[in-house]
Amino acid sequence: MVVAAAAALYLAVKPLPLVLVLVHHSRPAPSSALRLPRRTASAWLPRFPSCSTSAPPPFAAVASMDAPPQGYRTNVGICLADPSLTKIFSASRIDIPSAWQMPQGGIDAGEEPRAAAFRELREETGVTSAEIVAEAPVWLTYDFPTDVRTKLNPRWGTDWKGQAQKWFLFRLTGNDDEINLNGDGSEKPEFGEWTWMTPKEVIEKAVDFKKPVYEEALKHFAPYLQSDPAASS
């Protein structure tokens, strides 16, 4: 009787076995929809400070992608190099003389980017003696600053957030005297003067909101461009 009572008491107070349940929290796989090109060092490309997440950046960071996003105007960018692939064409805008840039322009409906690049080169610089050396493998996208968006969209009758650009590196196969800022006469001239610049100078002279795009485009083209002997002497 005593033994039975003791056994009953032991069973009543015996601790239950501890069961551990391990829950694995798996992180979501990174999206592959947006892949930025690997940053590579280059002697002539300036570095821009990274933007803190606590404050908005002074200009929109460049986003590169395999296809142009919705809400952005499709556009071509033209990096026209001299015959030696040493210097790059840059011109000042007639409406903003302090703003220097490489040629660019919108892609017409149904037009291929390469065809648009040749057309814009001809319309803005008069150049027809040129060949494509390289094409950036991705679209480079930037947002318009508020004042630029307010100015351009009413003119275009649109509400674009910014531009998605396909960039091409051209080599001039003719002479400098072929360059005519009146273009081919089919469009109103955009540039007042032009000069050959080093890649570093092109970036430094550009307006702030285009600098990241210029930096990325010129990184793609760096393997094809030659260093300027005068700059290293």
Side-chain angles (χ1 to χ4, degrees), residues 67-197:
Q70 294 294 322
Y72 288 79
R73 179 178 182 247
T74 53
N75 191 278
V76 289
I78 299 161
C79 179
L80 175 64
D82 63 9
S84 65
L85 291 171
T86 302
K87 297 288 187 71
I88 296 170
F89 173 96
S90 186
S92 64
R93 296 186 60 87
I94 291 177
D95 55 345
I96 313 174
S98 62
W100 289 74
Q101 67 176 62
M102 292 183 279
Q104 65 179 52
I107 301 174
D108 293 338
E111 188 177 29
E112 291 295 325
R114 281 190 169 227
F118 276 106
R119 175 180 54 76
E120 287 291 339
L121 178 63
R122 183 182 68 251
E123 290 177 356
E124 296 192 358
T125 70
V127 170
T128 57
S129 302
E131 62 182 1
I132 291 179
V133 176
E135 174 183 352
V138 293
W139 292 82
L140 299 177
T141 304
Y142 65 85
D143 289 349
F144 291 133
T146 302
D147 59 332
V148 174
R149 186 174 181 178
T150 302
K151 175 183 177 181
L152 293 180
N153 278 322
R155 181 190 303 173
W156 293 335
T158 59
D159 190 27
W160 301 120
K161 300 175 185 176
Q163 305 212 81
Q165 296 185 311
K166 203 61 158 55
W167 277 88
F168 295 88
L169 171 62
F170 281 82
R171 184 177 76 89
L172 179 67
T173 57
N175 299 317
D176 285 10
D177 56 11
E178 185 177 339
I179 297 175
N180 179 0
L181 297 186
N182 289 322
D184 62 359
S186 63
E187 298 289 338
K188 182 180 178 181
E190 294 190 21
F191 301 130
E193 58 180 310
W194 73 275
T195 189
W196 294 114
M197 294 185 182

Side-chain angles (χ1 to χ4, degrees), residues 41-52:
S42 178
W44 44 259
L45 287 175
R47 293 183 176 274
F48 296 98
S50 58
C51 299
S52 169

